[in-house]
């Protein structure tokens, strides 16, 4: 892992890094060495590691004593775009424009990225936990929309993750992995989401095998998650990781 820049403000240190070809950002409390809980933040489709919602969430969590890391998903942010991904996205957009079920199209795109994304996250997790200011403490995951689509396979495969905040996605292509998620889960839905039909979001929540899972539903469209849900997510992760 190679750090490329470091800044500090409002009690939070922000460090950009690369691990092999994976670009990422680590946020930690200033001048606070020692083991602490770590939260992995997965961004949405078409976004990146420094999208405004990711940065604001990361800084809030770091100010509360957590270490937080975000990386660019394959074919997003500062990562190169491959031709196959371009073809998959073009097919997804064409299908949605012609009236096909958006869940099926989105699942195809997520399926194209998931294997590589899981490997990336596991490698970054291992390296970040070797740092003095993080250490081998409990780990949580938080990701909405594509962050959920790539996060469920990760949570299912990675035993170091002990709790997850997920949502804004339907069950297409995820039922098998969701059945292997047994950690506590907080799941968010938007009741008027045109990209994720209600029955598909409910089906994904139902498919999660966790005996400790809660469903939080709010009115509004796909991107209209109320800010208080992120505050509540912080309390959920604190409860299970500290």
């Amino acid at each position: 892992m190679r750090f490329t820049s470091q800044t500090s403000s409002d009690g939070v240190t922000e460090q950009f890094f690369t691990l092999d070809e994976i670009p990422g950002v680590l946020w930690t409390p200033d001048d606070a060495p020692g083991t602490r809980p770590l939260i992995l933040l997965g961004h949405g489709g078409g976004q990146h590691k420094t999208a405004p919602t990711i940065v604001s969430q990361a800084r809030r969590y770091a100010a509360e004593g957590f270490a937080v890391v975000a990386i660019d998903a394959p074919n997003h942010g500062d990562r190169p775009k491959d031709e196959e991904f371009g073809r998959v996205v073009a097919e997804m957009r064409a299908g949605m424009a012609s009236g096909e079920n958006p869940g099926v199209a989105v699942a195809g795109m997520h399926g194209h990225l998931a294997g590589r994304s899981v490997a990336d996250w596991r490698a970054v997790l291992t390296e970040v936990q070797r740092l003095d200011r993080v250490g081998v403490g409990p780990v949580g995951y938080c990701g909405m929309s594509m962050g959920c689509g790539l996060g469920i396979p990760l949570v299912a495969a990675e035993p170091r993750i002990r709790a997850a905040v997920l949502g804004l996605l339907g069950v297409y292509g995820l039922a098998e992995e969701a059945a292997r998620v047994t950690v506590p889960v907080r799941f968010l839905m938007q009741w008027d989401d045109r990209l994720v039909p209600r029955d598909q979001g409910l089906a994904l929540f139902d498919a999660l095998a966790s005996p400790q899972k809660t469903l939080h539903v709010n009115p509004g469209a796909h991107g209209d998650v109320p800010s208080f849900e992120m505050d509540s997510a912080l309390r959920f992760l604190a409860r299970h990781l500290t």
Side-chain angles (χ1 to χ4, degrees):
M1 175 177 283
R2 181 174 66 90
F3 287 99
T4 57
S5 70
Q6 176 174 317
T7 58
S8 177
S9 64
D10 300 322
V12 174
T13 296
E14 179 183 81
Q15 296 173 285
F16 283 74
F17 67 84
T18 58
L19 175 63
D20 297 327
E21 297 180 354
I22 307 166
V25 190
L26 173 67
W27 294 267
T28 51
D30 283 349
D31 302 322
T35 299
R36 67 189 62 256
L38 171 65
I39 299 175
L40 314 179
L41 290 185
H43 63 74
Q47 296 184 349
H48 47 81
K49 62 187 180 301
T50 53
T53 54
I54 293 292
V55 173
S56 62
Q57 190 175 2
R59 295 188 64 87
R60 170 71 190 282
Y61 290 2
E64 294 294 330
F66 292 88
V68 186
V69 66
I71 63 174
D72 286 333
N75 287 279
H76 285 71
D78 294 326
R79 303 187 72 166
K81 314 302 187 289
D82 60 61
E83 292 184 6
E84 178 64 14
F85 178 73
R87 183 189 64 79
V88 170
V89 171
E91 290 182 355
M92 178 188 73
R93 290 173 176 168
M96 294 172 68
S98 65
E100 292 181 8
N101 188 319
V104 175
V106 170
M109 189 265 285
H110 292 173
H112 176 72
L113 301 176
R116 186 175 173 190
S117 177
V118 169
D120 290 348
W121 269 122
R122 299 184 83 173
V124 168
L125 173 54
T126 295
E127 291 301 313
V128 167
Q129 287 195 317
R130 290 175 175 164
L131 301 172
D132 291 341
R133 60 176 50 237
V134 181
V136 185
V139 181
Y141 179 86
C142 182
M144 298 293 114
S145 195
M146 188 184 80
C148 176
L150 304 184
I152 285 179
L154 172 65
V155 176
E158 179 48 70
R160 289 173 288 183
I161 296 176
R162 292 167 42 176
V165 179
L166 303 164
L168 302 186
L169 198 63
V171 74
Y172 287 106
L174 289 172
E176 184 175 341
E177 285 91 352
R180 294 190 287 115
V181 172
T182 58
V183 300
V185 173
R186 181 184 183 89
F187 192 87
L188 275 62
M189 283 181 56
Q190 289 295 100
W191 200 241
D192 308 299
D193 194 333
R194 293 185 178 182
L195 294 178
V196 183
R198 295 172 187 172
D199 61 332
Q200 295 303 313
L202 292 170
L204 180 54
F205 174 76
D206 190 52
L208 293 164
S210 173
Q212 298 182 59
K213 59 182 180 180
T214 57
L215 177 65
H216 289 244
V217 182
N218 291 282
H222 188 74
D224 294 338
V225 177
S227 59
F228 65 75
E229 286 290 2
M230 291 301 102
D231 295 336
S232 185
L234 172 58
R235 294 192 296 272
F236 167 84
L237 290 168
R239 186 165 67 251
H240 290 287
L241 302 180
T242 61

